[in-house]
Amino acid sequence: MIGVVQTEKKKLKVKYELLDPYKPNNYPCEFAYTSRMILLFQKIRGVDVILFSFYTEEYGMDCGDPNS
């Protein structure tokens, strides 16, 4: 069985070291993204056991350039 255990909307704040050189180009201070945790389970002797976990950060079309 595969299950999405957690889905959360978050914002990533850009660090000063990256933001400062690109400030004249209107580089955004933060990026919106969706964080997901996906787990793969297998039932072993009647108990669900996690075999694999996958964490992802998804930057969609609503995210500003250059991450859209």
Side-chain angles (χ1 to χ4, degrees), residues 25-55:
N25 298 346
N26 293 328
Y27 198 82
C29 296
E30 58 185 28
F31 293 100
Y33 69 95
T34 303
S35 173
R36 294 186 200 274
M37 179 172 53
I38 302 168
L39 300 177
L40 171 66
F41 297 92
Q42 182 176 1
K43 194 172 285 280
I44 299 175
R45 296 186 186 130
V47 177
D48 286 332
V49 177
I50 298 173
L51 295 180
F52 180 78
S53 62
F54 183 74
Y55 295 88

Side-chain angles (χ1 to χ4, degrees), residues 7-13 30-36 56-60 62-63 67:
T7 300
E8 197 174 333
K9 298 277 187 187
K10 295 184 176 184
K11 290 193 179 194
L12 172 71
K13 293 188 188 245
E30 58 185 28
F31 293 100
Y33 69 95
T34 303
S35 173
R36 294 186 200 274
T56 180
E57 295 176 355
E58 301 168 358
Y59 295 86
D62 58 337
C63 186
N67 285 0

